[in-house]
């Protein structure tokens, strides 16, 4: 298990939000923390600590009046820590090179691939051709419905028809270098992890998986370690002391 840091950017600011609260209409979200520091500050912290593989997420849609400010913060982070961070949020073949050229090690993709509720194999092939498998992370962020976890898109608001299953992960894993999975129903709430999801993800062994959502204490990290059989990396957002929480960054630095 490794610690994978995050830099979530909304309306041009580094923030921590409640995941399911994000709305494109009015660019609204329930905020847990709004930083006075820019994205470069956090990128430099992660760089100086030698922590690789964190993710920068643009939380505004491309038609938002805040998008350019959010994008500029993201590019600032990537240039501060070239090769050390991944980038997600509205990525497609046409813009992926902008982020890779700015220093992203990988681009993270959801909505472009999981289109109209299904897997767009055509788009997945285009994405793989544009950046190469070793630069691609597929975001399988999900919510539970009718007893199963389903991938969600469009700021985590829309359910797809694609369940998170071992079979689907094995197929999708042939196209990407890693998976990123937010447990959206607990994201930003710091009230405990989705152990059932962690146990499911731990059954997949072919490429790294980063789990995010619900971590509120070091005890939660230990629960995730056990449920994930030490195979899952972990992101900590709102509970991290850098973002107003109580888990010390200095402690998590040792999860390498």
């Amino acid at each position: 298990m490794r610690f994978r840091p995050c830099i979530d950017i909304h309306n041009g600011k580094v923030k921590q939000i409640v995941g399911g609260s994000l709305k494109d209409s009015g660019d609204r979200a329930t905020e847990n923390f709004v930083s006075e520091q820019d994205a470069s500050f956090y990128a430099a912290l992660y760089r100086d600590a030698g922590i690789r593989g964190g993710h920068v997420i643009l939380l505004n849609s491309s038609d938002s009046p805040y998008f350019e400010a959010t994008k500029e913060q993201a590019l600032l982070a990537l240039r501060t820590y070239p090769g050390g961070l991944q980038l997600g949020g509205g990525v497609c073949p046409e813009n992926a090179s902008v982020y890779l050229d700015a220093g992203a090690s990988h681009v993270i993709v959801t909505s472009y691939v999981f289109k109209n509720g299904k897997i767009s194999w055509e788009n997945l092939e285009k994405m793989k051709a544009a950046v190469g498998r070793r630069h691609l992370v597929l975001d399988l962020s999900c919510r539970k419905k009718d007893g199963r976890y389903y991938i969600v898109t469009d700021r985590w608001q829309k359910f797809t028809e694609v369940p998170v299953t071992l079979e689907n992960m094995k197929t999708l894993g042939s196209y990407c270098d890693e998976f990123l999975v937010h447990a959206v129903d607990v994201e930003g709430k710091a009230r405990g992890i989705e152990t059932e999801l962690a146990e499911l993800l731990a059954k997949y062994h072919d490429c790294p998986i980063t789990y995010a959502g619900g971590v509120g204490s070091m005890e939660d990290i230990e629960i995730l370690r056990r449920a994930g059989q030490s195979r899952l990396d972990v992101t900590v957002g709102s509970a991290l002391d850098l973002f107003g929480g109580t888990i010390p960054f200095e402690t998590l630095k040792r999860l390498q």
Side-chain angles (χ1 to χ4, degrees):
M1 173 186 279
R2 294 183 297 161
F3 169 55
R4 301 284 199 106
C6 62
I7 305 174
D8 295 344
I9 308 170
H10 183 242
N11 295 357
K13 299 283 187 180
V14 176
K15 294 183 182 180
Q16 284 295 312
I17 67 168
V18 177
S21 72
L22 190 60
K23 301 288 189 298
D24 283 342
S25 176
D27 293 294
R28 294 174 290 120
T30 300
E31 298 169 345
N32 288 326
F33 178 83
V34 181
S35 180
E36 296 180 359
Q37 304 288 346
D38 66 10
S40 178
F41 170 84
Y42 295 98
L45 274 179
Y46 306 152
R47 179 198 64 205
D48 295 347
I51 303 171
R52 303 179 67 85
H55 52 271
V56 181
I57 304 295
L58 291 77
L59 294 175
N60 291 101
S61 63
S62 60
D63 58 358
S64 163
Y66 295 98
F67 178 75
E68 289 303 323
T70 291
K71 179 181 176 182
E72 186 54 41
Q73 283 293 306
L75 293 174
L76 189 61
L78 298 177
R79 290 166 183 150
T80 300
Y81 190 8
L85 296 166
Q86 304 171 357
L87 185 287
V91 175
C92 62
E94 290 72 27
N95 63 21
S97 62
V98 172
Y99 302 116
L100 292 173
D101 291 347
S105 65
H106 299 69
V107 289
I108 305 166
V109 178
T110 313
S111 297
Y112 181 78
V113 167
F114 300 101
K115 204 80 172 174
N116 300 318
K118 300 179 181 180
I119 300 172
S120 171
W121 298 106
E122 179 183 0
N123 283 4
L124 184 53
E125 291 283 0
K126 287 180 180 178
M127 200 70 238
K128 183 181 176 184
V131 304
R133 177 184 175 185
R134 70 187 186 93
H135 293 297
L136 182 60
V137 176
L138 289 180
D139 185 339
L140 307 185
S141 294
C142 54
R143 308 178 83 163
K144 201 170 189 181
K145 183 175 70 171
D146 301 327
R148 302 180 82 184
Y149 288 98
Y150 287 86
I151 295 168
V152 290
T153 64
D154 300 277
R155 257 55 80 203
W156 301 331
Q157 303 302 310
K158 293 183 180 179
F159 276 91
T160 70
E161 300 170 11
V162 184
V164 179
T165 64
L166 189 58
E167 181 181 2
N168 282 339
M169 292 178 72
K170 286 181 176 179
T171 302
L172 292 168
S174 65
Y175 289 84
C176 67
D177 196 45
E178 298 184 11
F179 290 121
L180 171 63
V181 185
H182 288 83
V184 175
D185 286 330
V186 297
E187 172 70 18
K189 297 180 180 179
R191 296 175 186 167
I193 69 159
E194 291 268 16
T195 54
E196 183 182 347
L197 177 59
E199 289 168 355
L200 169 62
L201 298 176
K203 295 175 182 177
Y204 177 81
H205 302 168
D206 295 345
C207 69
I209 301 174
T210 299
Y211 169 94
V215 174
S217 65
M218 290 304 296
E219 289 76 14
D220 287 332
I221 290 178
E222 184 55 34
I223 291 169
L224 178 63
R225 185 194 299 277
R226 292 197 302 268
Q229 301 177 37
S230 297
R231 293 195 176 104
L232 307 181
D233 292 341
V234 61
T235 289
V236 181
S238 299
L240 190 63
D241 61 355
L242 298 180
F243 303 124
T246 59
I247 300 178
F249 176 63
E250 292 298 319
T251 299
L252 292 183
K253 281 166 56 174
R254 296 194 285 270
L255 288 180
Q256 298 298 311

